[in-house]
Amino acid sequence: MTRKLGCIILAAGKGTRMKSVIPKPLHAVAGRAMVKHVIAVAEALNPDKIVVVIGPDMEQTTEAVRPYATALQSIPNGTGGAALAAKEHFKDFDGDILIMYGDTPLVTTPTLQKMIDIRRQFPAIGLTYSGMRVTAPNTYGRMVMDDDGTLKKIVEFKDASAEEKKITLCNGGIACADGTKLFLWLAQISNDNAQGEYYLTDLPAIARKDNRQTHVVEVPADEMEGINSRVDLALVEKLFQKKLREEHMLGGVTLVDPDTVYFSYDTLIGQDVVIEPNVFFGPNVKVRNNVHILANCHLTGAEIEEGAHVGPFARLRPGSKIGKGAHVGNFVETKNTHIGAGAKAGHLTYLGDAEVGEKANIGAGTITCNYDGFLKHKTKIGKDTFIGSNSALVAPVVIGNGAYIGAGSTISRDVPDNALGITRAPQINKEGWVPEYRQKKIKEQAKKDK
């Protein structure tokens, strides 16, 4: 019979070093709040329960982690106190409980699953802890091992002796415990230490007194990277982006200069896609096969169909859908717009709240005037249309199939199929006007200079 699994995610820290009014767990990594990364990893384990521990006045975090329950750590008294705050949510819970941190978004599901499996494999093991090998100078807690290979104790850096500080096996923080024992052990933690706090790191010694062993699962140090400052946030973002770039390249995407391409956590890209330097993907972007994205593009909430060509310097905003084989060129911006298969918008264009039909050609400088100061309105451009350069289409307006719009026109009424829509003032040429004008201005300037 499979044992139950519960997850406690510690996210009560205010993050004072972040220098922000935003709670630390809500700062984003790859377009998603760090605590939601941790929740997603926990969800992949199919747990019976997830509880997020928060601090006072963290309503934003409560909303962000819904539908999962929150437990309040009313006093910031350490990780042990934070975990103990979730006790009421685990009454009579007879499974395993995984304790995670809301500021470690790089941890992976396989790592957590390994910790769970080892704890369940041997009845004598009451706890499994994540450990990491760190040789560079650091202030992590040190893991003191016993002769039998089990964990004897964890010593916080500030409490460690000079000899203990030489230990390279450091505490990763994440723990998996026998749920029938966890809260009994948590209640025995003392705050007799340099910080005057209740440390989760005291659990191995307490479990040992209860004749239960603690096993260390060594994991890559990158997975345990926590975030306490904006500097840490930038480091974790860099590590996360490296991971995403490798995943996409291994999936069949060519990145001309990988270090300059930034993905969101949910970016979906097909095979044989080429992405040139300096491209940014915000959340909710889907790119089909055989797409070419040229340099210096910004994409958010957009869908690009097979064989499309985007950029350089294109901006696709939420609701944009670029059809099969379509072309969106340099300095073209789209929002809530569907560009049909084979259509082209090559240069200096804004298309907002619009439908562009198949094989339509949008001339340089064209804009859809979709906002009247109060409401947004839609522009419909039929298939095989030709929109002349520097045209303004004042929505709501419909340009029929096969229609032409003369360059420089402001179109505010519907144009029927195969018709020419044009608005222009008559051209007037004044012969000899320029020399006379110049002489007049020269005389005016001479008077002014006196």
Side-chain angles (χ1 to χ4, degrees):
M1 179 178 176
T2 303
R3 286 176 60 87
K4 290 182 179 180
L5 176 65
C7 296
I8 299 175
I9 300 174
L10 308 185
K14 290 282 187 180
T16 54
R17 281 181 280 173
M18 298 294 287
K19 307 295 183 184
S20 174
V21 297
I22 301 170
K24 182 174 73 168
L26 300 188
H27 283 265
V29 173
R32 178 164 64 175
M34 64 177 84
V35 70
K36 298 192 83 170
H37 280 289
V38 179
I39 288 173
V41 171
E43 287 175 332
L45 298 167
N46 297 312
D48 298 276
K49 185 175 293 190
I50 294 177
V51 177
V52 181
V53 179
I54 63 170
D57 303 318
M58 294 181 69
E59 291 80 8
Q60 286 178 275
T61 306
T62 299
E63 290 299 318
V65 303
R66 291 190 189 279
Y68 298 111
T70 56
L72 177 63
Q73 183 187 16
S74 56
I75 301 173
N77 57 358
T79 54
L84 191 58
K87 179 179 178 179
E88 293 302 308
H89 293 273
F90 289 91
K91 286 182 177 179
D92 303 319
F93 190 82
D94 60 354
D96 296 295
I97 298 179
L98 189 66
I99 302 174
M100 308 165 66
Y101 293 82
D103 62 357
T104 55
L106 296 175
V107 67
T108 64
T109 299
T111 288
L112 300 177
Q113 189 64 61
K114 185 177 180 181
M115 293 179 65
I116 296 164
D117 291 344
I118 291 175
R119 207 227 64 79
R120 290 174 173 174
Q121 190 174 357
F122 303 102
I125 296 177
L127 292 162
T128 51
Y129 261 81
S130 60
M132 54 188 180
R133 294 286 175 182
V134 183
T135 55
N138 63 82
T139 57
Y140 295 115
R142 281 1 190 211
M143 307 188 98
V144 182
M145 305 301 291
D146 212 335
D147 294 337
D148 61 2
T150 62
L151 181 63
K152 184 177 182 180
K153 62 179 179 177
I154 301 174
V155 183
E156 292 293 340
F157 185 81
K158 291 182 179 180
D159 301 314
S161 66
E163 196 64 29
E164 288 169 334
K165 289 178 180 178
K166 295 178 182 178
I167 297 173
T168 59
L169 182 60
C170 298
N171 177 33
I174 297 173
C176 182
D178 180 347
T180 64
K181 293 284 190 179
L182 175 61
F183 294 101
L184 295 173
W185 293 339
L186 287 171
Q188 298 176 51
I189 295 177
S190 167
N191 66 346
D192 184 18
N193 51 61
Q195 294 293 97
E197 293 187 347
Y198 298 91
Y199 291 141
L200 275 176
T201 48
D202 287 352
L203 284 182
I206 293 171
R208 191 181 187 89
K209 294 177 182 177
D210 204 8
N211 296 316
R212 301 295 293 275
Q213 297 175 349
T214 300
H215 187 90
V216 176
V217 178
E218 289 196 36
V219 300
D222 285 354
E223 287 194 32
M224 299 293 103
E225 197 71 54
I227 298 172
N228 292 304
S229 67
R230 307 267 185 166
V231 175
D232 296 336
L233 184 66
L235 173 61
V236 170
E237 180 73 40
K238 184 175 183 179
L239 294 171
F240 208 103
Q241 289 298 330
K242 180 182 178 182
K243 173 187 172 185
L244 292 175
R245 291 164 187 153
E246 290 176 354
E247 288 176 355
H248 286 301
M249 287 189 286
L250 291 172
V253 178
T254 294
L255 303 181
V256 176
D257 186 1
D259 289 344
T260 67
V261 178
Y262 288 82
F263 294 105
S264 183
Y265 74 98
D266 60 352
T267 307
L268 297 176
I269 303 182
Q271 293 183 340
D272 295 316
V273 172
V274 176
I275 301 174
E276 293 187 4
N278 302 314
V279 176
F280 182 91
F281 293 86
N284 194 27
V285 175
K286 298 178 182 178
V287 181
R288 310 297 181 190
N289 296 340
N290 300 302
V291 168
H292 192 165
I293 301 176
L294 282 78
N296 302 297
C297 292
H298 190 288
L299 306 86
T300 300
E303 186 171 345
I304 305 173
E305 295 294 333
E306 185 171 355
H309 195 272
V310 176
F313 295 97
R315 185 182 183 195
L316 306 185
R317 294 169 63 193
S320 297
K321 185 173 181 179
I322 312 304
K324 187 174 182 178
H327 177 204
V328 174
N330 47 286
F331 303 105
V332 173
E333 178 182 349
T334 65
K335 183 180 184 293
N336 196 28
T337 290
H338 181 187
I339 296 179
K344 297 179 181 179
H347 335 270
L348 303 164
T349 292
Y350 173 69
L351 299 172
D353 296 291
E355 290 182 10
V356 179
E358 296 179 5
K359 298 182 180 179
N361 189 91
I362 310 297
T366 295
I367 61 170
T368 57
C369 307
N370 57 324
Y371 183 52
D372 64 7
F374 296 92
L375 300 172
K376 297 288 184 71
H377 301 280
K378 193 161 190 175
T379 300
K380 293 185 178 181
I381 301 171
K383 64 181 181 180
D384 297 311
T385 56
F386 182 91
I387 311 298
S389 297
N390 201 34
S391 294
L393 308 180
V394 184
V397 69
V398 176
I399 311 300
N401 294 329
Y404 269 51
I405 302 299
S409 296
T410 298
I411 303 297
S412 57
R413 293 183 297 169
D414 293 354
V415 178
D417 292 353
N418 300 309
L420 170 64
I422 186 170
T423 59
R424 284 187 191 155
Q427 180 173 325
I428 298 174
N429 295 333
K430 295 186 176 181
E431 299 288 339
W433 181 88
V434 172
E436 183 180 338
Y437 176 78
R438 285 175 176 164
Q439 288 301 316
K440 178 182 176 181
K441 290 298 177 182
I442 289 171
K443 290 177 181 179
E444 289 178 359
Q445 185 65 46
K447 289 180 180 180
K448 187 176 180 181
D449 291 342
K450 285 182 179 180

